[in-house]
Every structure is written in C-alpha cells, then in structure tokens.
Amino acid sequence: MAFVTQNQIQKFRKDGFLVLEQFFTAEECDSMRNQIQRIVAEMEVPPHCRTEFSTKEEEQLQAQGSSDYFLTSGDKIRFFFEKGVLDERGNFLISKEKSISKIGHALHAYDPVFKQITHSSKVQELGRKLGLERPVIVQSMYIFKQPGIGGEVTPHQDATFLHTEPLGRILGFWIALEDATLENGCLWFIPGSHTSGITRRMVRAGSGTSACVEFVGSEPAYDNSQFIPLPISKGGLILIHGEVVHKSELNSSESSRHAFTFHVMEAKDTSWSKENWLQPTPELPFPSLYT
C-alpha cells in the first residue's frame, strides 16, 4: 500500500475525493469476489422481497419506500436487483448472478472476509492519517454494475442519505474489485463540490403515508461539463467526502464493474439523524472502525 502523504490529504480536502491506486492487493480483491460468489450462490430471495433498486426519485420512493426490506437492511445482508430482470410475478428473466445490483448493508459486520477488509490495518491507518478520532462504520455495500444493464447512478451527495449534524462527518471508502473504466461505469466527480452543504435529504416518512421514505428539498441541476471521470485499476481506493457530488453512467460494456464500498462516520461530537433511513439497532450498534 502506498503511504498516504500530507499532500494527498490536502488534495482530498480541496477536491472532496482522493484516488489511491493499488491500496488493496489483487488477492484481497479476489477474496472479496470469491466470497460474494458464495453468498449469491446461497441466496434465497422471498418473492415479496424482490425489490428493484433504482435511483430515479419516484421509483426510489415507490420501490424502496414501500419496501420494509430495504428499510430494515441496515443490520442484515440483503439483495437488491437491477431493473427489468424480474417478471410481474417476481421470477428472474436472466440468471440471478447476472441480475443482482447490490448487496447491503451489513457485510462489514456479518461476513468474515468483508469484516477483515473493512477493519484492515491500512484502512485504520488511513483513518488516523485523516484525523478521525472515533470513526464508526454505518453501512457497507457490494455493487455489481452488471455488463450491459448496470444502471446509472444519478448525481448525488452521500449526505442526502446519511445525514449528520454537523455535516462533514461522513466518509465513503470505495474499492474497485475490477478495473473501473469509462466504458464500464467508473465514478465521476465535481471537484470542490463538497463545500456548499446539501439541498436534499431522504428521510423516513411520517406515519400514515404509504411510502416509508420521502425526499425533502430538491437536487439542483448540475452542469455535466463540471464532472471529471475517475477511472481506477483493480485494488484502487477512492475516498469520497460525504458532500461531494458524484455519479456513474450506465455500464454498456461487456465487463462488470464490481466494487465494495463502506461509509464511516466520525462519531465524536456528531449526531446521527433520527430521520435517516438507516438506523443503528440493538443487534448492530455502529461498530468502531478501530479495533
């Protein structure tokens, strides 16, 4: 692993993201990919739980909002699917291995391979270099970005979904388990866009509404020309500030773009919003990053 320099940390503070190539070894990436293959092979999806994952606002409200499955996935390992892979009865139109969009949101807590990666000494050391005093892990996801159908992720800020007071306490660790390229849907960022707060929040809806979550505020129209792509090789890590604007395009290539990502919160002097969809539970309080 490359030693992280003060210059790089300054760059992160300025841009809102930082690319660290070859942070993890090919072996570490393969161990995660092999483990996820085992998890998918054993996956049993109850038909009533077959929610499709979408980032378009209405679909998000309809599919995820009406779905307890999503809202209660913070302390479990659960499965979310690409659009168009299930028929009306919830049967797969293509193989389940090819239809899955992501697995979340507690791999870091319940799976030995992902737990080891999340708490690896190099991640802990990076946390200390960044000055994190009491970092806790709030969620993790394995993202597949399937060939040909891996959906776009529209421009967003992670703090829209993971709100804290004050802001600036959420940090994403995004690990490329395969090369992420322009063709297969690498991440794009607007440098410096993490400095003006957030304009939209996803909150738990009040009782008596059909949806479980709703959006407050609106997403501004972003200027597409401001986004820069961050292709990264297998094993690379992208650090993502909770308020930096980022997106990824549809994967129209023939290769997948697997990634493992987790979010950390600096818990010192921070309050986690009671309105966030994700809440710590008695079974899984947010675990400390430092072991």
Side-chain angles (χ1 to χ4, degrees), residues 84-131:
V85 299
L86 300 166
D87 66 18
E88 309 77 77
R89 292 185 301 285
N91 298 316
F92 289 105
L93 297 166
I94 54 176
S95 75
K96 65 180 185 179
E97 292 76 18
K98 289 272 193 295
S99 64
I100 192 156
S101 160
K102 60 176 208 171
I103 296 179
H105 288 90
L107 286 161
H108 62 279
Y110 295 130
D111 182 89
V113 172
F114 291 97
K115 187 174 194 170
Q116 188 181 359
I117 292 285
T118 306
H119 293 278
S120 60
S121 55
K122 46 197 170 188
V123 170
Q124 296 194 40
E125 185 191 345
L126 180 53
R128 292 197 165 92
K129 282 259 161 38
L130 289 161

Side-chain angles (χ1 to χ4, degrees), residues 65 71 202-216 274-275:
L71 271 191
M202 185 171 99
V203 300
R204 288 183 169 240
S207 55
T209 51
S210 59
C212 299
V213 292
E214 58 195 2
F215 284 94
V216 178
K274 291 272 187 283
E275 294 183 309

Side-chain angles (χ1 to χ4, degrees), residues 158-177:
D158 292 341
T160 284
F161 307 96
L162 309 171
H163 191 267
T164 60
E165 286 186 9
L167 285 171
R169 301 304 173 91
I170 292 288
L171 181 61
F173 290 72
W174 192 95
I175 304 156
L177 305 185

